[in-house]
Amino acid sequence: MIWTREEYIAHMTFEYTGKEMFTELFGLLTGLDNEWKSQDATPDELDLSAFGWDSVLYTDTACNTFAITSLSPYILEDNNEYTISVDYMGRTQKLIKSSATIALPTDYPVKDFDDWLKIKHWYKFDESRINTERLKKAKELHDKGYLTVVWIPGGFDEPRQLMGEENLCIAYYEQPELIHDMLNTIAETNMKVFERIFEYVVVDNISIHEDMAGKSGPLVGPSQIKEFITPYYLKIWNECKLHGTKLFSQDSDGNMNGVIDAFLDAGVNIMYPFEPNSGMDMVAARKKYGKRITFKGGIDKFALRGNKDDIKRELEYKMCGEMLGGGTIFAIDHRIPNGVPIENYRYYAELGRKLLGRTEYKSSPHIRMAF
């Protein structure tokens, strides 16, 4: 079912719309399509259109808030197992084709403040960041009921892209002025980009990618968030709220329990994918945080590898009580993993609809809801 912009915003701000949202955030993990083909999955099951997942039509503005470099990516080596390439930041990276969709860098452009000064111009504002024609188109789509989404660099993730995780975590203690200058520069440019966007269209949803945690917890704690990331977030969020923005969503895998409070104080009001296998329990979090936070995901993807009782137990726990009535987009917590039989996935979709009172649905193209 396609939701309108108004319905989606109402649902995400805890207004009961008379229906619950059940969707697929990402899609199939690499290789699962071949497993499902061997189990006689139909073409429309492989592209997920058969399941009629809920979605909202959305548009971005094509205005660039990220690094703009003069470097052109190129491939160093490509074979059946992996691809080694150089990306637009000049990083050498390796993609393992059998198990990954994202290449991992093996080197980074910034080690210290001098390195940062050499590439700081990547984040400076100029008019090339603004796509006026796409802004006009976004306004047209917004008026037709599309949600307007703008992605901005992560307060942890963008410095990580420039420095790598280890060097960044050390820099919080040994080079704090470097991280402050990075985030101040990015924030100033973002603000100028948003000024241009606001001339044309309302930004409904700011979306930010962090991926800053593993099973044992986040790579930085509340003190680093409050010192470095919160000023960056709030500078943008406070201005956007004045221009009608309602939603601020954060994507981070792993166990984020230790920093949820800090990010809520920084303006975030949507978190996903809320991975149970990493210790995230959206039912417990709803009891703790109430209507301060909206969830997307939260259903254990690995339950779908088990039997039907496992799936039923997981869905009955999640799809009830305070999780209903707005504020939750029910979905598995990231991509559908290898080892999930197509029969299990069919059962999951059918049972989930039944528990949510959604007995009827129509096939429709899958729209990625990870934003």
Side-chain angles (χ1 to χ4, degrees):
M1 176 186 294
I2 300 297
W3 292 46
T4 67
R5 165 187 176 269
E6 291 78 10
E7 289 174 325
Y8 183 82
I9 293 174
H11 184 78
M12 300 303 278
T13 53
F14 292 91
E15 293 183 33
Y16 182 51
T17 61
K19 55 188 177 182
E20 304 294 339
M21 195 168 211
F22 189 28
T23 193
E24 187 65 60
L25 296 181
F26 296 91
L28 281 65
L29 195 64
T30 301
L32 183 59
D33 55 343
N34 290 326
E35 293 181 33
W36 280 7
K37 286 177 185 177
S38 70
Q39 298 164 23
D40 298 321
T42 63
D44 57 346
E45 287 178 324
L46 293 172
D47 66 20
L48 301 180
S49 61
F51 300 99
W53 293 121
D54 293 330
S55 60
V56 61
L57 298 175
Y58 62 92
T59 180
D60 66 15
T61 63
C63 292
N64 195 337
T65 63
F66 290 81
I68 297 178
T69 78
S70 59
L71 305 176
S72 298
Y74 59 92
I75 293 175
L76 293 171
E77 183 179 354
D78 187 35
N79 56 45
N80 292 332
E81 296 180 4
Y82 59 81
T83 299
I84 299 176
S85 62
V86 176
D87 72 359
Y88 79 113
M89 287 184 172
R91 304 175 301 185
T92 303
Q93 56 183 10
K94 186 173 184 178
L95 174 67
I96 305 298
K97 295 180 178 180
S98 62
S99 59
T101 57
I102 300 174
L104 293 179
T106 58
D107 52 45
Y108 298 89
V110 176
K111 294 183 178 64
D112 53 35
F113 211 102
D114 288 339
D115 288 339
W116 162 242
L117 292 177
K118 293 174 185 176
I119 59 99
K120 185 174 178 177
H121 63 279
W122 291 357
Y123 295 94
K124 292 294 187 179
F125 178 81
D126 64 63
E127 293 297 331
S128 68
R129 292 182 176 275
I130 308 303
N131 189 326
T132 302
E133 292 306 310
R134 285 292 300 273
L135 278 171
K136 293 177 180 177
K137 182 64 175 178
K139 176 63 166 62
E140 292 176 7
L141 293 173
H142 184 269
D143 291 345
K144 293 178 180 178
Y146 282 59
L147 190 80
T148 306
V149 183
V150 176
W151 282 262
I152 64 173
F156 176 87
D157 184 62
E158 196 66 16
R160 183 249 303 274
Q161 298 299 330
L162 296 172
M163 302 186 71
E165 291 172 349
E166 182 177 352
N167 288 336
L168 171 59
C169 290
I170 293 171
Y172 284 122
Y173 297 94
E174 296 185 354
Q175 302 184 81
E177 70 286 348
L178 168 59
I179 311 307
H180 281 303
D181 196 61
M182 282 182 176
L183 293 178
N184 287 338
T185 300
I186 295 170
E188 289 171 6
T189 293
N190 271 248
M191 293 297 291
K192 293 176 182 178
V193 171
F194 276 103
E195 285 176 10
R196 304 300 196 279
I197 295 174
F198 294 149
E199 294 174 4
Y200 291 87
V201 66
V202 172
V203 174
D204 296 314
N205 193 146
I206 300 171
S207 183
I208 198 161
H209 175 268
E210 296 293 6
D211 269 7
M212 56 181 290
K215 284 187 177 182
S216 61
L219 292 172
V220 297
S223 60
Q224 288 78 32
I225 292 167
K226 291 175 183 177
E227 179 180 353
F228 297 97
I229 299 176
T230 296
Y232 166 62
Y233 274 33
L234 286 180
K235 185 170 186 177
I236 297 168
W237 174 237
N238 287 338
E239 185 65 22
C240 286
K241 282 195 298 183
L242 293 176
H243 289 83
T245 306
K246 302 292 186 183
L247 308 177
F248 187 0
S249 57
Q250 183 195 78
D251 173 3
S252 187
D253 299 343
N255 188 332
M256 294 286 283
N257 285 312
V259 292
I260 291 176
D261 290 273
F263 279 120
L264 295 184
D265 291 342
V268 172
N269 53 25
I270 302 169
M271 297 186 80
Y272 71 97
F274 238 78
E275 295 181 296
N277 198 48
S278 294
M280 303 296 284
D281 184 332
M282 66 179 179
V283 177
R286 174 57 46 76
K287 292 177 181 177
K288 180 177 181 179
Y289 295 105
K291 294 184 178 181
R292 293 186 66 197
I293 183 172
T294 296
F295 307 114
K296 297 167 71 171
I299 296 173
D300 187 359
K301 56 184 173 287
F302 294 117
L304 276 66
R305 281 181 171 175
N307 55 41
K308 291 183 177 180
D309 286 340
D310 296 322
I311 298 169
K312 183 179 181 182
R313 184 165 45 249
E314 174 69 7
L315 292 185
E316 288 181 340
Y317 173 57
K318 299 292 170 63
M319 293 179 166
C320 65
E322 295 173 313
M323 306 310 299
L324 304 176
T328 309
I329 294 181
F330 297 100
I332 63 170
D333 60 300
H334 225 286
R335 293 183 181 271
I336 311 163
N338 305 107
V340 172
I342 185 61
E343 187 57 37
N344 277 14
Y345 193 76
R346 292 167 182 156
Y347 175 75
Y348 158 75
E350 179 183 358
L351 179 60
R353 284 195 201 90
K354 181 179 179 180
L355 292 173
L356 297 175
R358 302 286 301 279
T359 56
E360 296 182 3
Y361 69 97
K362 295 181 180 179
S363 298
S364 60
H366 172 240
I367 298 175
R368 179 184 168 97
M369 290 291 290
F371 61 80

